[in-house]
Amino acid sequence: MTALGAVFRPQLPPERLQAVVRLADGVGLEELWLWEDCFREGGISTAAAALAWSERVRVGVGLLPVPLRNVAVTAMEVAALHRMFPGRAIVGVGHGVQDWMGQVGARADSPLTLLREHLDALRALLRGERVTVGGRYVRLDDVALDWPPAGPVEVLAGAEGPRTLRLSGAAADGTVLTAATSPDGVRRAVRLVEEGRLAAGRGADEPHRVVAYLLTATGPDAPARLRAELVADGLESVPGLGVAGDAGAVAKAVRRLAEAGADTVVLQPTADEPDPEGFVRFTAEEVRPLVP
């Protein structure tokens, strides 16, 4: 079955999160995703609050930019979430927006090398291993978590370009694709992820989840809002991106992404969505019954 989620976008002030989380938990939303976008809201702090305010909804963070984070800190925070809220936290890491990384003096000369080193060290620490490594960016000297997660932890990587997609297949447990990825783009991404998995010798016993965002607008002004966001992002000429309409139209777009290889589809409202709580209810109560 295709998992279905929705995004709480950080264009909303953080004090709006509690009401959205409680509604999501109440209406049976499967996954609520948060973003660590510069310079809006922290991913781990909002995820911890969301998990504490809820009982069943899974909370995803997509993504934590690795240039901003020492891998030991990432591991401690992720491990704490998994121990306090077993099975409900989903964490992805990624390059971050390079202009933003430059603004804070954290831009790496080789984002790909940094992401690979961060993923390898993070996954090892979360497995409870003692890690010593002297990489180009990640350096650890006899580091182990006192409180590693009690069981296996899924670490996802955000990826767009071919090299990062192959890296995600080789070194992560799942891949997060942006809303700029059409169904054909999902198919290409899945192929590249699989190339990376095969090159790394990873087999069927190591599942790899693909998460795809779907830019979604509903309501009377949905087509105009969707088009405005695509234009603002320079994506209006890309075929097959986003969906505007009722639950039937949205479910059809979700199914297209699922058929292309997405295991989880996360509905991403437009930045000017007028009713975030209504969007979550729409996702759980109207779209979910139409998605296998």
Side-chain angles (χ1 to χ4, degrees), residues 237-269:
S237 63
V238 181
L241 286 188
V243 58
D246 62 10
V250 174
K252 184 176 180 180
V254 170
R255 290 195 296 269
R256 285 197 295 267
L257 291 173
E259 290 163 1
D263 302 294
T264 300
V265 178
V266 183
L267 303 190
Q268 175 182 318

mmCIF file of all heavy atoms in Angstrom, residues 237-269:
data_model
loop_
_atom_site.group_PDB
_atom_site.id
_atom_site.type_symbol
_atom_site.label_atom_id
_atom_site.label_comp_id
_atom_site.label_asym_id
_atom_site.label_seq_id
_atom_site.Cartn_x
_atom_site.Cartn_y
_atom_site.Cartn_z
ATOM 1 N N SER A 237 7.276 25.057 -16.928
ATOM 2 C CA SER A 237 7.426 24.369 -18.213
ATOM 3 C C SER A 237 7.663 22.871 -18.063
ATOM 4 O O SER A 237 7.756 22.157 -19.065
ATOM 5 C CB SER A 237 8.585 24.985 -18.999
ATOM 6 O OG SER A 237 9.808 24.808 -18.302
ATOM 7 N N VAL A 238 7.772 22.382 -16.823
ATOM 8 C CA VAL A 238 8.023 20.956 -16.610
ATOM 9 C C VAL A 238 6.697 20.208 -16.619
ATOM 10 O O VAL A 238 5.826 20.471 -15.780
ATOM 11 C CB VAL A 238 8.744 20.720 -15.268
ATOM 12 C CG1 VAL A 238 9.014 19.230 -15.080
ATOM 13 C CG2 VAL A 238 10.054 21.500 -15.220
ATOM 14 N N PRO A 239 6.508 19.280 -17.561
ATOM 15 C CA PRO A 239 5.225 18.574 -17.621
ATOM 16 C C PRO A 239 5.035 17.616 -16.450
ATOM 17 O O PRO A 239 5.988 17.020 -15.945
ATOM 18 C CB PRO A 239 5.312 17.792 -18.947
ATOM 19 C CG PRO A 239 6.779 17.616 -19.185
ATOM 20 C CD PRO A 239 7.443 18.834 -18.610
ATOM 21 N N GLY A 240 3.788 17.499 -16.004
ATOM 22 C CA GLY A 240 3.438 16.494 -15.007
ATOM 23 C C GLY A 240 3.707 16.872 -13.574
ATOM 24 O O GLY A 240 3.626 16.016 -12.684
ATOM 25 N N LEU A 241 4.013 18.152 -13.313
ATOM 26 C CA LEU A 241 4.297 18.553 -11.933
ATOM 27 C C LEU A 241 3.052 19.099 -11.263
ATOM 28 O O LEU A 241 2.349 19.941 -11.812
ATOM 29 C CB LEU A 241 5.385 19.633 -11.893
ATOM 30 C CG LEU A 241 6.817 19.220 -12.168
ATOM 31 C CD1 LEU A 241 7.754 20.388 -11.876
ATOM 32 C CD2 LEU A 241 7.218 18.006 -11.364
ATOM 33 N N GLY A 242 2.803 18.655 -10.062
ATOM 34 C CA GLY A 242 1.734 19.214 -9.247
ATOM 35 C C GLY A 242 0.352 18.801 -9.698
ATOM 36 O O GLY A 242 0.149 18.250 -10.780
ATOM 37 N N VAL A 243 -0.609 19.091 -8.812
ATOM 38 C CA VAL A 243 -1.995 18.767 -9.116
ATOM 39 C C VAL A 243 -2.889 19.793 -8.430
ATOM 40 O O VAL A 243 -2.618 20.223 -7.310
ATOM 41 C CB VAL A 243 -2.346 17.335 -8.642
ATOM 42 C CG1 VAL A 243 -2.112 17.167 -7.142
ATOM 43 C CG2 VAL A 243 -3.787 16.977 -8.993
ATOM 44 N N ALA A 244 -3.927 20.196 -9.125
ATOM 45 C CA ALA A 244 -4.930 21.105 -8.566
ATOM 46 C C ALA A 244 -6.304 20.490 -8.801
ATOM 47 O O ALA A 244 -6.614 20.063 -9.924
ATOM 48 C CB ALA A 244 -4.846 22.485 -9.219
ATOM 49 N N GLY A 245 -7.113 20.430 -7.748
ATOM 50 C CA GLY A 245 -8.445 19.890 -7.940
ATOM 51 C C GLY A 245 -8.984 19.222 -6.696
ATOM 52 O O GLY A 245 -8.502 19.435 -5.582
ATOM 53 N N ASP A 246 -9.994 18.376 -6.910
ATOM 54 C CA ASP A 246 -10.644 17.703 -5.795
ATOM 55 C C ASP A 246 -9.891 16.433 -5.422
ATOM 56 O O ASP A 246 -8.817 16.127 -5.972
ATOM 57 C CB ASP A 246 -12.097 17.408 -6.143
ATOM 58 C CG ASP A 246 -12.248 16.476 -7.349
ATOM 59 O OD1 ASP A 246 -11.229 15.896 -7.818
ATOM 60 O OD2 ASP A 246 -13.392 16.315 -7.825
ATOM 61 N N ALA A 247 -10.459 15.666 -4.491
ATOM 62 C CA ALA A 247 -9.781 14.468 -3.998
ATOM 63 C C ALA A 247 -9.531 13.457 -5.107
ATOM 64 O O ALA A 247 -8.487 12.794 -5.121
ATOM 65 C CB ALA A 247 -10.611 13.829 -2.883
ATOM 66 N N GLY A 248 -10.453 13.344 -6.038
ATOM 67 C CA GLY A 248 -10.262 12.402 -7.135
ATOM 68 C C GLY A 248 -9.066 12.756 -7.988
ATOM 69 O O GLY A 248 -8.267 11.887 -8.368
ATOM 70 N N ALA A 249 -8.907 14.038 -8.312
ATOM 71 C CA ALA A 249 -7.770 14.482 -9.118
ATOM 72 C C ALA A 249 -6.461 14.275 -8.372
ATOM 73 O O ALA A 249 -5.455 13.843 -8.957
ATOM 74 C CB ALA A 249 -7.952 15.946 -9.495
ATOM 75 N N VAL A 250 -6.471 14.585 -7.082
ATOM 76 C CA VAL A 250 -5.247 14.429 -6.296
ATOM 77 C C VAL A 250 -4.884 12.952 -6.171
ATOM 78 O O VAL A 250 -3.720 12.567 -6.325
ATOM 79 C CB VAL A 250 -5.414 15.078 -4.906
ATOM 80 C CG1 VAL A 250 -4.195 14.798 -4.029
ATOM 81 C CG2 VAL A 250 -5.628 16.584 -5.055
ATOM 82 N N ALA A 251 -5.866 12.099 -5.896
ATOM 83 C CA ALA A 251 -5.592 10.671 -5.778
ATOM 84 C C ALA A 251 -5.030 10.104 -7.077
ATOM 85 O O ALA A 251 -4.134 9.248 -7.057
ATOM 86 C CB ALA A 251 -6.868 9.927 -5.385
ATOM 87 N N LYS A 252 -5.526 10.585 -8.200
ATOM 88 C CA LYS A 252 -5.006 10.123 -9.493
ATOM 89 C C LYS A 252 -3.533 10.493 -9.635
ATOM 90 O O LYS A 252 -2.712 9.690 -10.103
ATOM 91 C CB LYS A 252 -5.829 10.734 -10.623
ATOM 92 C CG LYS A 252 -5.429 10.244 -12.011
ATOM 93 C CD LYS A 252 -6.357 10.822 -13.070
ATOM 94 C CE LYS A 252 -5.972 10.343 -14.468
ATOM 95 N NZ LYS A 252 -6.875 10.917 -15.512
ATOM 96 N N ALA A 253 -3.168 11.715 -9.220
ATOM 97 C CA ALA A 253 -1.773 12.143 -9.288
ATOM 98 C C ALA A 253 -0.908 11.327 -8.329
ATOM 99 O O ALA A 253 0.231 10.984 -8.643
ATOM 100 C CB ALA A 253 -1.670 13.632 -8.970
ATOM 101 N N VAL A 254 -1.438 11.001 -7.152
ATOM 102 C CA VAL A 254 -0.712 10.156 -6.208
ATOM 103 C C VAL A 254 -0.460 8.792 -6.819
ATOM 104 O O VAL A 254 0.650 8.238 -6.737
ATOM 105 C CB VAL A 254 -1.488 10.018 -4.881
ATOM 106 C CG1 VAL A 254 -0.860 8.954 -3.985
ATOM 107 C CG2 VAL A 254 -1.544 11.358 -4.150
ATOM 108 N N ARG A 255 -1.462 8.230 -7.448
ATOM 109 C CA ARG A 255 -1.316 6.903 -8.052
ATOM 110 C C ARG A 255 -0.267 6.924 -9.169
ATOM 111 O O ARG A 255 0.479 5.946 -9.326
ATOM 112 C CB ARG A 255 -2.665 6.410 -8.578
ATOM 113 C CG ARG A 255 -3.659 6.056 -7.464
ATOM 114 C CD ARG A 255 -4.824 5.243 -7.995
ATOM 115 N NE ARG A 255 -5.626 5.983 -8.954
ATOM 116 C CZ ARG A 255 -6.677 6.719 -8.642
ATOM 117 N NH1 ARG A 255 -7.058 6.829 -7.374
ATOM 118 N NH2 ARG A 255 -7.378 7.344 -9.571
ATOM 119 N N ARG A 256 -0.188 8.003 -9.923
ATOM 120 C CA ARG A 256 0.830 8.084 -10.976
ATOM 121 C C ARG A 256 2.235 8.024 -10.373
ATOM 122 O O ARG A 256 3.119 7.353 -10.912
ATOM 123 C CB ARG A 256 0.657 9.364 -11.790
ATOM 124 C CG ARG A 256 -0.510 9.328 -12.768
ATOM 125 C CD ARG A 256 -0.381 10.414 -13.818
ATOM 126 N NE ARG A 256 -0.467 11.746 -13.242
ATOM 127 C CZ ARG A 256 -1.580 12.445 -13.139
ATOM 128 N NH1 ARG A 256 -2.730 11.936 -13.573
ATOM 129 N NH2 ARG A 256 -1.577 13.655 -12.616
ATOM 130 N N LEU A 257 2.451 8.724 -9.274
ATOM 131 C CA LEU A 257 3.763 8.679 -8.629
ATOM 132 C C LEU A 257 4.040 7.299 -8.045
ATOM 133 O O LEU A 257 5.170 6.797 -8.115
ATOM 134 C CB LEU A 257 3.849 9.748 -7.537
ATOM 135 C CG LEU A 257 3.880 11.200 -8.017
ATOM 136 C CD1 LEU A 257 3.787 12.155 -6.835
ATOM 137 C CD2 LEU A 257 5.143 11.491 -8.827
ATOM 138 N N ALA A 258 3.013 6.684 -7.469
ATOM 139 C CA ALA A 258 3.183 5.347 -6.905
ATOM 140 C C ALA A 258 3.513 4.334 -8.005
ATOM 141 O O ALA A 258 4.400 3.477 -7.831
ATOM 142 C CB ALA A 258 1.932 4.928 -6.148
ATOM 143 N N GLU A 259 2.829 4.429 -9.111
ATOM 144 C CA GLU A 259 3.103 3.525 -10.231
ATOM 145 C C GLU A 259 4.506 3.725 -10.783
ATOM 146 O O GLU A 259 5.112 2.792 -11.322
ATOM 147 C CB GLU A 259 2.060 3.733 -11.325
ATOM 148 C CG GLU A 259 0.670 3.227 -10.934
ATOM 149 C CD GLU A 259 -0.432 3.784 -11.826
ATOM 150 O OE1 GLU A 259 -0.106 4.558 -12.763
ATOM 151 O OE2 GLU A 259 -1.600 3.472 -11.566
ATOM 152 N N ALA A 260 5.035 4.946 -10.648
ATOM 153 C CA ALA A 260 6.388 5.239 -11.123
ATOM 154 C C ALA A 260 7.460 4.739 -10.175
ATOM 155 O O ALA A 260 8.642 4.698 -10.528
ATOM 156 C CB ALA A 260 6.548 6.745 -11.340
ATOM 157 N N GLY A 261 7.054 4.364 -8.940
ATOM 158 C CA GLY A 261 8.026 3.795 -8.008
ATOM 159 C C GLY A 261 8.082 4.437 -6.644
ATOM 160 O O GLY A 261 8.903 4.035 -5.807
ATOM 161 N N ALA A 262 7.219 5.420 -6.366
ATOM 162 C CA ALA A 262 7.211 6.037 -5.034
ATOM 163 C C ALA A 262 6.488 5.137 -4.046
ATOM 164 O O ALA A 262 5.366 4.694 -4.297
ATOM 165 C CB ALA A 262 6.540 7.404 -5.097
ATOM 166 N N ASP A 263 7.128 4.873 -2.916
ATOM 167 C CA ASP A 263 6.500 4.092 -1.857
ATOM 168 C C ASP A 263 5.646 4.969 -0.952
ATOM 169 O O ASP A 263 4.656 4.508 -0.379
ATOM 170 C CB ASP A 263 7.571 3.402 -1.016
ATOM 171 C CG ASP A 263 8.460 2.504 -1.852
ATOM 172 O OD1 ASP A 263 7.943 1.501 -2.382
ATOM 173 O OD2 ASP A 263 9.663 2.806 -1.977
ATOM 174 N N THR A 264 6.051 6.217 -0.798
ATOM 175 C CA THR A 264 5.330 7.196 0.011
ATOM 176 C C THR A 264 5.154 8.459 -0.813
ATOM 177 O O THR A 264 6.098 8.927 -1.450
ATOM 178 C CB THR A 264 6.117 7.549 1.291
ATOM 179 O OG1 THR A 264 6.308 6.370 2.062
ATOM 180 C CG2 THR A 264 5.389 8.597 2.119
ATOM 181 N N VAL A 265 3.950 9.003 -0.817
ATOM 182 C CA VAL A 265 3.687 10.284 -1.477
ATOM 183 C C VAL A 265 3.241 11.272 -0.408
ATOM 184 O O VAL A 265 2.326 10.984 0.376
ATOM 185 C CB VAL A 265 2.623 10.157 -2.583
ATOM 186 C CG1 VAL A 265 2.328 11.522 -3.215
ATOM 187 C CG2 VAL A 265 3.093 9.166 -3.656
ATOM 188 N N VAL A 266 3.903 12.412 -0.370
ATOM 189 C CA VAL A 266 3.629 13.433 0.629
ATOM 190 C C VAL A 266 3.042 14.653 -0.078
ATOM 191 O O VAL A 266 3.707 15.252 -0.929
ATOM 192 C CB VAL A 266 4.911 13.817 1.397
ATOM 193 C CG1 VAL A 266 4.584 14.841 2.480
ATOM 194 C CG2 VAL A 266 5.569 12.587 2.001
ATOM 195 N N LEU A 267 1.806 14.987 0.259
ATOM 196 C CA LEU A 267 1.157 16.132 -0.374
ATOM 197 C C LEU A 267 1.736 17.420 0.209
ATOM 198 O O LEU A 267 1.739 17.630 1.419
ATOM 199 C CB LEU A 267 -0.351 16.077 -0.148
ATOM 200 C CG LEU A 267 -1.072 14.820 -0.636
ATOM 201 C CD1 LEU A 267 -2.590 15.019 -0.560
ATOM 202 C CD2 LEU A 267 -0.651 14.428 -2.043
ATOM 203 N N GLN A 268 2.230 18.259 -0.682
ATOM 204 C CA GLN A 268 2.880 19.513 -0.304
ATOM 205 C C GLN A 268 1.962 20.675 -0.673
ATOM 206 O O GLN A 268 1.789 20.983 -1.851
ATOM 207 C CB GLN A 268 4.210 19.643 -1.039
ATOM 208 C CG GLN A 268 4.929 20.956 -0.836
ATOM 209 C CD GLN A 268 6.213 21.018 -1.633
ATOM 210 O OE1 GLN A 268 6.965 20.044 -1.696
ATOM 211 N NE2 GLN A 268 6.484 22.152 -2.259
ATOM 212 N N PRO A 269 1.342 21.324 0.307
ATOM 213 C CA PRO A 269 0.474 22.452 -0.040
ATOM 214 C C PRO A 269 1.287 23.605 -0.599
ATOM 215 O O PRO A 269 2.496 23.699 -0.379
ATOM 216 C CB PRO A 269 -0.158 22.816 1.311
ATOM 217 C CG PRO A 269 0.843 22.366 2.324
ATOM 218 C CD PRO A 269 1.484 21.130 1.752
#
